[in-house]
Amino acid sequence: MFTINLKRVFKTGYKNFHRNDWLSMATVLIMVLVLFVLGGLVFFSALAGTILGNFESKIDITVYFKPEAPEAGIFDVKKEVEALPQVADIKYISKEDALVQFKEKNKGNALILDSLNELGDNPLEAALNIRAKTPESYAAIGDFLAKKNYPLVDKINYFENQEIIERFGAILGTIKGWGAFTLFILAFLAVLVAFNTIRLAIYTMREEINIMRLVGAANWFVRGPFMVTGVIYGLVAALAASVMFFPLTWLIAPKLSFLVPQFNLFSYFIGHFVQFFGLMLVAGVALGLSSSLIAIRKYLRV
Amino acid sequence: MILFDKVSKIYSKDSVALKNVTLKINSKEFVSVVGSSGAGKSTLLKLLMREEEPTKGKIFLDGVEVTAMRKNQLHHMRRRIGTIFQDYKLLPAKTVYENVAFAMEAAGRHDEEIAEDVPQVLEIIGLAGKKDSFPHQLSGGEKQRVAVARALINRPDIILADEPTGNLDPVNTKEVIKLLLKINDLGTTVILSSHDANVINSIGRRVVVLEKGEVISDEEKGKYIV
């Protein structure tokens, strides 16, 4: 008896879906749009993460040492700074390395190279390049260096760039906060639209729901097929959205990597396809099912 | 046995559908409820189905208080009642066959039973050739017959027929009444509502006359004189 009924519920749910083809198509289309927004949000946050990571890796503190500073002394400082919990990575650049880098950077500029030769001696200073784990911890590292006031240190470029680094940190924080807020609002709107579409679909069947009850159908026997239809909406929408993201990401990827060379949208999509498809499925089915459940409650009065 | 115990249905101060109606209908009886439009005939049937709730009073079906049943239990009671609705109430997205089969499916009947019974009933009402048509492709009389078939299919204890001949020509009207009388002979309680004096007087069974929501006469082998 139970299996017969279950079979009937599924059959009717499927029939509802394919007989009301226009209504089904419209509903699925709206849900595809919702899933597009959702997928777009996923891509956007991945992209934003890459950009922010990229910026963050470019912030650093460089400590320059006086020309007469012995390497052993510099290594002592390095060891102390390395011990700080905020430090992600520290790199020693010797006077010679600095000269090589400088020459490389000014390869095309004969005037600079000539004047360098004129000097004869290496005018550049050895330096320590410090990278913090988070942009916010640069201030702590800077404070530490200032307090220690090492005699070998000539200058610390954090203090020159302090304002820029701090402002950048603040901007990053704001972008993250507003980004999350915007994503949330967008997702909420999308869900609302999908929910209303399904509600409208069920609204058109309110008279039928009444009739079913009056000819002796149990509540769940009426509700069941609508739930099945809702799940089918979700499944089809998830499938359609996931398939459509293939050409879409492939087309957008080259344009995007022009702006952000470190991020390839298409390979990100391919690389995370299983998780992505899973997310689409879960979101689509949850949306279809919950919308149907909530909407039909209202019309199961008789 | 069906008992309406001092039942009133008041929609608003100016719209009183039933006033303190007490009515007893024994099982296997054939009762015609008559009266002009707005006399409260449909309301009486709707209250028995619990499509609507009475404002006052109680309704019993075989000793069980229908008006106190929980909503999620109503379908058990409704499966014992086959209703022919005035406006047919067919499912527009289902074919003739599926409309009739739905009542059986809802009652949890087996597929084999459904495959056997539905074609038989469609044969009886003369719509075997239109089993794959949708309601919007049928005439009023054909829809009415589908509604009759659906009401009969589960062999209910009670048939409620709300103006079942309202949209039929005289020939079809006769057929439907004949069918209802036959079902009654086989042991089913029939409650028929109508405003058609000719139809009622041709039956020659119990007649309850409603006027402005009140029972004004109740006679065995009654007549309806307009």
Side-chain angles (χ1 to χ4, degrees):
Chain A
M1 171 103 165
F2 180 72
T3 41
I4 297 180
N5 284 331
L6 208 65
K7 206 182 82 195
R8 280 175 189 157
V9 162
F10 274 95
K11 213 171 98 183
T12 312
Y14 173 71
K15 266 190 193 164
N16 282 351
F17 177 78
H18 87 101
R19 270 195 191 155
N20 302 314
D21 41 7
W22 276 103
L23 193 66
S24 299
M25 207 159 83
T27 312
V28 166
L29 223 76
I30 291 289
M31 286 184 69
V32 167
L33 282 179
V34 172
L35 294 179
F36 255 93
V37 171
L38 192 70
L41 298 185
V42 171
F43 289 140
F44 179 74
S45 63
L47 177 70
T50 310
I51 296 176
L52 294 185
N54 201 14
F55 272 127
E56 280 172 8
S57 72
K58 277 188 181 147
I59 310 175
D60 59 11
I61 298 181
T62 309
V63 182
Y64 295 98
F65 291 88
K66 289 173 181 158
E68 67 276 13
E71 271 201 338
I74 296 175
F75 276 112
D76 286 341
V77 175
K78 182 176 179 245
K79 217 173 262 172
E80 279 185 50
V81 176
E82 224 164 19
L84 293 175
Q86 297 94 336
V87 173
D89 157 55
I90 185 162
K91 213 162 68 192
Y92 170 61
I93 301 157
S94 68
K95 284 175 75 145
E96 292 72 30
D97 292 340
L99 186 63
V100 172
Q101 276 176 23
F102 184 79
K103 278 185 178 165
E104 179 66 28
K105 216 174 181 178
N106 296 291
K107 232 177 1 196
N109 196 330
L111 186 70
I112 289 180
L113 292 179
D114 283 350
S115 33
L116 202 62
N117 285 336
E118 199 76 10
L119 270 169
D121 205 13
N122 180 359
L124 294 170
E125 298 179 327
L128 281 177
N129 205 306
I130 306 163
R131 291 237 312 270
K133 283 177 183 149
T134 61
E136 297 81 43
S137 27
Y138 282 104
I141 298 171
D143 279 350
F144 173 81
L145 291 169
K147 217 175 273 165
K148 279 280 186 177
N149 200 11
Y150 293 110
L152 293 176
V153 170
D154 182 23
K155 62 175 189 213
I156 301 169
N157 97 325
Y158 169 77
F159 295 105
E160 290 172 5
N161 294 337
Q162 184 171 25
E163 210 183 326
I164 295 169
I165 289 176
E166 274 173 5
R167 197 179 291 166
F168 197 70
I171 290 172
L172 288 192
T174 317
I175 289 178
K176 275 182 181 162
W178 278 101
F181 182 70
T182 316
L183 299 196
F184 181 76
I185 296 284
L186 266 177
F188 180 71
L189 285 179
V191 166
L192 222 64
V193 169
F195 173 66
N196 263 315
T197 310
I198 291 188
R199 236 179 53 162
L200 209 65
I202 291 185
Y203 177 79
T204 61
M205 302 206 194
R206 67 200 183 285
E207 185 56 30
E208 293 193 65
I209 294 171
N210 244 339
I211 297 170
M212 290 176 186
R213 283 291 286 157
L214 288 178
V215 297
N219 264 336
W220 68 266
F221 195 77
V222 179
R223 197 188 283 129
F226 286 99
M227 286 161 64
V228 171
T229 313
V231 170
I232 296 178
Y233 287 152
L235 289 178
V236 174
L239 212 70
S242 301
V243 168
M244 281 189 232
F245 266 117
F246 273 99
L248 213 67
T249 50
W250 188 74
L251 281 173
I252 294 174
K255 291 179 181 88
L256 205 59
S257 57
F258 190 69
L259 288 171
V260 190
Q262 299 83 357
F263 188 72
N264 186 320
L265 187 66
F266 187 63
S267 45
Y268 176 83
F269 175 61
I270 299 291
H272 294 80
F273 183 75
V274 176
Q275 294 99 309
F276 190 82
F277 187 58
L279 177 75
M280 296 280 111
L281 270 183
V282 169
V285 168
L287 191 61
L289 190 63
S290 58
S291 307
S292 297
L293 266 177
I294 297 170
I296 197 168
R297 256 180 80 89
K298 207 178 152 192
Y299 300 111
L300 269 179
R301 276 169 315 189
V302 181
Chain B
M1 192 194 71
I2 299 162
L3 176 66
F4 288 81
D5 186 16
K6 298 186 191 117
V7 173
S8 297
K9 176 69 184 179
I10 301 160
Y11 290 105
S12 70
K13 220 165 134 192
D14 308 317
S15 167
V16 179
L18 288 176
K19 252 186 273 177
N20 209 23
V21 170
T22 298
L23 188 64
K24 198 173 127 186
I25 297 166
N26 289 317
S27 49
K28 301 181 185 181
E29 220 177 336
F30 192 117
V31 182
S32 304
V33 179
V34 301
S36 51
S37 299
K41 308 181 298 283
S42 289
T43 304
L44 196 75
L45 303 190
K46 280 180 181 167
L47 290 179
L48 179 57
M49 287 285 287
R50 268 284 291 276
E51 191 180 343
E52 285 179 19
E53 314 276 342
T55 314
K56 260 189 277 176
K58 292 173 180 176
I59 299 167
F60 296 89
L61 173 60
D62 291 337
V64 180
E65 192 185 337
V66 172
T67 36
M69 258 181 216
R70 283 179 36 211
K71 271 196 173 166
N72 59 6
Q73 295 303 317
L74 285 176
H75 56 276
H76 296 298
M77 181 268 287
R78 285 174 180 159
R79 283 176 198 167
R80 297 184 51 206
I81 304 175
T83 310
I84 305 162
F85 299 96
Q86 197 172 358
D87 52 354
Y88 326 122
K89 289 202 192 298
L90 299 180
L91 298 166
K94 290 187 190 294
T95 64
V96 167
Y97 182 95
E98 287 167 344
N99 259 287
V100 179
F102 181 80
M104 290 185 87
E105 289 176 358
R109 306 280 285 276
H110 284 282
D111 287 341
E112 302 83 57
E113 276 182 285
I114 296 175
E116 200 173 313
D117 288 7
V118 176
Q120 266 180 27
V121 168
L122 291 181
E123 193 69 49
I124 294 171
I125 61 158
L127 280 178
K130 296 212 166 178
K131 70 182 177 69
D132 293 325
S133 302
F134 286 92
H136 66 89
Q137 298 164 325
L138 301 177
S139 71
E142 286 168 334
K143 285 186 216 176
Q144 188 67 277
R145 272 139 69 194
V146 178
V148 171
R150 182 179 61 187
L152 302 182
I153 195 78
N154 276 330
R155 298 185 184 89
D157 301 331
I158 302 159
I159 292 271
L160 299 184
D162 191 7
E163 304 270 8
T165 58
N167 299 293
L168 302 183
D169 55 52
V171 179
N172 276 315
T173 299
K174 237 182 182 170
E175 287 298 317
V176 168
I177 296 299
K178 233 167 83 185
L179 192 62
L180 288 176
L181 281 167
K182 195 173 162 197
I183 295 160
N184 177 243
D185 282 343
L186 295 171
T188 306
T189 312
V190 176
I191 304 175
L192 166 74
S193 97
S194 178
H195 62 262
D196 188 337
N198 289 331
V199 170
I200 301 304
N201 295 337
S202 71
I203 297 171
R205 302 277 180 99
R206 182 179 168 192
V207 175
V208 175
V209 184
L210 282 178
E211 197 180 288
K212 290 180 183 156
E214 285 177 292
V215 176
I216 57 164
S217 98
D218 182 353
E219 290 174 47
E220 293 297 323
K221 301 208 182 255
K223 291 266 179 200
Y224 178 38
I225 297 126
V226 187

